[in-house]
Amino acid sequence: MTATGSTKIPERSGHHERTGAQIVIDMLEQNGVDVVFGIPGVHTLALYDALHSSSIRHILPRHEQGAGFMADGYARASGKPGVALVITGPGVTNIATPVGQAFTDSTPMLVLSSNVERAHLDDMRGSLHDLKDQLGVMAAVTKWNARAMSADSVAAAMGKAFSELRSGRPLPVHVEFPLDVLDEMAPVAGFSSAPEHRLISPDPELIDRAAQILANAEQPILYCGGGAVSSGASNALVQLAERLNAPVITSIMGKGAFPEDHPLSLGALWEQGNPVDDLLVASDCAMVVGSKLGSQATHGFQLQLPSPTIRIDIDPREIELNYRPSLALVADARIALETLLDRVNNLNPTGSGFANEVVRAARHAAERTSWHAERRSHVDALRRAIPRDGVLVADMTQMAYVACGVYPVYEPRTFMFPSGYGTLGFALPAAIGAKIARPDAMVVAVVGDGGFQYTMAELACAVQERISLPIVIFNDSTYSAVKEAQKESRDGRYIAVDLVNPDYVDLAKAYGIPGVRVASPEQLEAEVLAASARSMPTIIDVPIDPWV
């Protein structure tokens, strides 16, 4: 072993043998992976050497956290798993935050990491990048995570990883490879890709019961979460809503599952006691599709659902965790809705549903009372600039919270927000990943000045890859959400919330890219359009009035 921790690469012993690292890359290719995000290190030299002769595109972020968020954005935009390569120890702990974000938001991600040699695993004997329990770290934020202990077990471990990615709830997985496994030779045994996505069909008897409940309802209402987006259920959802004349509420994660310019759309505007809640109270039946109905989405479980309530979810644990339904359908949302639509059509429902004008009035009234709706002029400018199929990637920032309510989304996978984990620094790297997944779509990152500084080093990645990306920074030199909370719950005892920021226009100059400062929503619209036409990122600094 050398001082750096690397090992000598063994000679190839014939075309029927491959190193463990070569098998890893072969398995990525076999399973349709065309891009990976990662930072090389002495513990991943074998993987990068194998990647050198691969057709897979490699994107070089500036921090493993950026690699994870890029993989997340790629997955959300494409529906394919995002793949990240990281080193032992600090690489794993750095990427754990974006993996946690992917877990809470149900994003499929494959993380491949190295570890020290097999003889030293978990022993903390002073090896470079030692970590006491690397699998334990990743177990907390993944659906499945394993270690390949020999080169001839690599293909099986990779196959299992892809099988987990393609079954049940889409969640991140992790496979770890000790250093000496990556350079060890193993015979090639004709490994192949994992099975295609295994869709869970609903129980026919339960589907019939659900169809009967909906057909008998006078005024049903639908509520959709991120599962309706990830399953591709939008077309069936629209048809079922129209057949029942049922308005559709979405969670923030569900934005895009149902077009928000549809007459039956109530958007992500539910709040207790508001006009959207009034329609929910007036309904006599609800169906919840692909949502955990978590504490944030329900404002501390204050959402009141009518009886009967039907729930459709891929995850049997989630389907009864927060709200116990009258009828639970554990199934893929798209398959369940398509089957349900067929059954409902055969039953010829007679309920009146809700008139379009009633739904429209409730939506508009809810928009007027939505959180900080007085700030929506900048959000409206973004919507005018971004095409119908364009992608807005938002960070945890006040203006994005406004957008969660009043920014209308028309198509699936065109609105991204770090909902569950709620980490700062998501938007810039996730937007890079989304643009790589969808190079022909306009992608816009929306960040606060504080959150931008979490991952602003990834600007270098966007420059290096010549990513066309408007980066909109709403700038008030404050951690505004925290400051507002200190005002409301701590009598204005402000501490550690005011920021010293760089000049973001000068920062753009330092990277050799355009940077502009805008003074109005109209100018913001124009600059986003101009930035989208460039083959490089653009920083758009938007000074705004303080929130507090």
Side-chain angles (χ1 to χ4, degrees), residues 409-486:
V409 181
Y410 308 125
E411 297 185 9
R413 303 189 182 279
T414 61
F415 185 83
M416 301 181 193
F417 181 75
S419 179
Y421 224 38
T423 179
L424 288 166
F426 168 84
L428 174 58
I432 293 170
K435 184 65 176 179
I436 289 168
R438 296 189 56 197
D440 295 331
M442 182 193 291
V443 178
V444 177
V446 171
V447 298
D449 52 293
F452 180 68
Q453 292 184 72
Y454 269 56
T455 53
M456 71 180 183
E458 302 311 338
L459 185 60
C461 175
V463 173
Q464 184 170 358
E465 294 293 330
R466 298 191 66 82
I467 302 291
S468 174
L469 180 66
I471 303 165
V472 179
I473 304 172
F474 287 105
N475 187 354
D476 62 355
S477 300
T478 309
Y479 285 129
S480 299
V482 181
K483 191 168 188 176
E484 188 170 56
Q486 288 175 347

Side-chain angles (χ1 to χ4, degrees), residues 241-461:
E242 290 174 346
R243 185 68 183 87
L244 297 170
N245 213 24
V248 178
I249 304 169
T250 75
S251 68
I252 293 171
M253 290 298 298
K255 284 176 77 72
F258 194 81
E260 292 188 45
D261 56 352
H262 192 285
L264 290 170
S265 172
L266 290 169
L269 287 162
W270 177 86
E271 293 180 25
Q272 188 180 34
N274 81 345
V276 172
D277 189 46
D278 291 342
L279 292 194
L280 185 60
V281 170
S283 67
D284 59 346
C285 170
M287 185 168 70
V288 179
V289 182
S291 173
K292 69 176 66 178
L293 296 173
S295 179
Q296 290 184 82
T298 61
H299 297 187
F301 307 112
Q302 295 180 79
L303 180 99
Q304 297 297 312
L305 294 169
S307 182
T309 288
I310 303 162
R311 290 191 68 178
I312 299 172
D313 204 285
I314 196 72
D315 191 335
R317 178 183 179 273
E318 294 287 355
I319 205 164
E320 293 190 346
L321 179 63
N322 293 324
Y323 284 78
R324 187 173 295 274
S326 311
L327 181 64
L329 292 168
V330 178
D332 174 82
R334 179 180 63 82
I335 299 296
L337 288 179
E338 288 174 351
T339 309
L340 195 55
L341 177 64
D342 183 62
R343 300 288 197 280
V344 167
N345 282 333
N346 290 337
L347 291 172
N348 194 25
T350 57
S352 63
F354 289 86
N356 287 351
E357 57 269 23
V358 171
V359 176
R360 187 182 307 110
R363 177 190 172 93
H364 289 166
E367 285 181 342
R368 289 194 295 273
T369 60
S370 182
W371 188 82
H372 279 300
E374 76 281 358
R375 297 267 190 157
R376 69 172 297 171
S377 58
H378 284 95
V379 174
D380 291 341
L382 290 169
R383 182 67 277 183
R384 291 193 301 270
I386 299 172
R388 189 177 186 87
D389 65 346
V391 182
L392 187 149
V393 185
D395 216 90
M396 294 290 288
T397 185
Q398 298 281 82
M399 201 65 78
Y401 306 157
V402 176
C404 286
V406 301
Y407 178 88
V409 181
Y410 308 125
E411 297 185 9
R413 303 189 182 279
T414 61
F415 185 83
M416 301 181 193
F417 181 75
S419 179
Y421 224 38
T423 179
L424 288 166
F426 168 84
L428 174 58
I432 293 170
K435 184 65 176 179
I436 289 168
R438 296 189 56 197
D440 295 331
M442 182 193 291
V443 178
V444 177
V446 171
V447 298
D449 52 293
F452 180 68
Q453 292 184 72
Y454 269 56
T455 53
M456 71 180 183
E458 302 311 338
L459 185 60
C461 175

Side-chain angles (χ1 to χ4, degrees), residues 9 18-19 21-26 28-29 36 40 44-59 85:
I9 301 171
R18 305 279 276 167
T19 66
Q22 288 168 335
I23 295 171
V24 171
I25 302 305
D26 290 343
L28 292 179
E29 292 176 340
V36 298
T44 53
L45 291 178
L47 284 170
Y48 276 80
D49 194 48
L51 195 61
H52 186 270
S53 58
S54 169
S55 62
I56 296 173
R57 180 183 181 187
H58 181 272
I59 303 297
L85 306 181

Side-chain angles (χ1 to χ4, degrees), residues 112-179:
L112 304 175
S113 77
S114 56
N115 206 333
V116 299
E117 290 91 339
R118 284 168 286 191
H120 301 161
L121 284 169
D122 303 327
D123 284 344
M124 297 298 290
R125 300 180 67 183
S127 299
L128 180 66
H129 303 325
D130 248 348
L131 184 59
K132 183 174 68 174
D133 183 11
Q134 188 162 283
L135 285 180
V137 170
M138 294 301 280
V141 291
T142 56
K143 172 186 183 180
W144 176 87
N145 125 89
R147 173 184 289 161
M149 285 297 289
S150 63
D152 59 13
S153 68
V154 167
M158 291 291 291
K160 176 64 173 173
F162 278 101
S163 180
E164 290 290 336
L165 286 166
R166 292 170 179 164
S167 61
R169 182 178 166 199
L171 292 168
V173 301
H174 165 242
V175 189
E176 172 193 293
F177 308 96
L179 264 171

